[in-house]
């Protein structure tokens, strides 16, 4: 398979997403990378663990940086993202499995909340 063609397809797919779809993609990736980090930690595969945690931190920082601070929800999400970033750093530094397992359901809850909001927005646009 031509890797360049795939990369172009992937870039085009991302650039044509709505902001809500991109947000859901990022949150799903956060959940996925949190799971990968947990599995890697179980296997004592520390390079994979650290790369997955670093990616989680990058995603959370991006989510925080792209908040539109004019909205109340943004002012509520920013401290949550700061909490995630801090805790992910602690997980990474201490290879702290219990803390990672405490965070992972929160990532899924965040994704699910955004998914519900996206669905509601779609229904409002139609109705």
């Amino acid at each position: 398979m031509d890797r360049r063609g795939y990369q172009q397809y992937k870039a085009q797919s991302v650039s044509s997403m709505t902001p809500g779809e991109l947000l859901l993609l990022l949150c799903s990736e956060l959940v996925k990378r949190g799971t990968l980090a947990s599995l890697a930690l179980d296997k004592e595969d520390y390079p994979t663990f650290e790369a997955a945690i670093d990616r989680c931190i990058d995603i959370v920082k991006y989510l925080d940086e792209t908040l539109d601070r004019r909205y109340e929800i943004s002012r509520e999400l920013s401290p949550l993202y700061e909490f995630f970033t801090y805790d992910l750093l602690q997980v990474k530094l201490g290879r702290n499995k219990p803390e990672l397992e405490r965070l992972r359901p929160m990532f899924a809850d965040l994704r699910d909340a955004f998914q519900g909001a996206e669905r509601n927005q779609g229904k409002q646009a139609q109705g």
Side-chain angles (χ1 to χ4, degrees):
M1 178 183 199
D2 182 12
R3 185 116 174 110
R4 286 179 304 206
Y6 173 73
Q7 292 298 342
Q8 288 173 338
Y9 167 77
K10 193 168 140 183
Q12 184 179 6
S13 294
V14 169
S15 67
S16 66
M17 288 181 165
T18 66
E21 290 170 334
L22 183 57
L23 181 62
L24 289 175
L25 178 68
L26 287 168
C27 288
S28 293
E29 188 68 15
L30 182 61
V31 171
K32 179 177 140 186
R33 296 296 176 132
T35 301
L36 177 62
S38 180
L39 294 171
L41 195 53
D42 287 342
K43 295 177 185 175
E44 298 182 5
D45 180 356
Y46 301 122
T48 300
F49 163 76
E50 290 179 6
I53 292 296
D54 285 342
R55 186 66 178 127
C56 287
I57 292 168
D58 289 345
I59 291 168
V60 172
K61 283 183 176 180
Y62 177 81
L63 291 172
D64 190 44
E65 290 168 1
T66 58
L67 286 173
D68 186 341
R69 309 285 179 187
R70 294 177 293 169
Y71 298 102
E72 180 65 30
I73 189 70
S74 296
R75 291 188 291 272
E76 293 172 10
L77 285 170
S78 187
L80 177 66
Y81 293 156
E82 289 174 22
F83 164 77
F84 283 162
T85 301
Y86 176 82
D87 272 21
L88 284 164
L89 286 169
Q90 298 308 306
V91 165
K92 180 181 175 184
L93 292 173
R95 296 180 178 159
N96 188 336
K97 175 83 174 186
E99 186 62 20
L100 177 58
E101 293 309 310
R102 190 173 77 84
L103 287 173
R104 288 180 53 225
M106 293 181 203
F107 298 157
D109 289 345
L110 182 67
R111 178 202 56 209
D112 295 347
F114 284 135
Q115 193 170 34
E118 180 74 5
R119 246 184 275 129
N120 286 341
Q121 185 177 6
K123 286 179 185 176
Q124 288 176 353
Q126 290 175 351

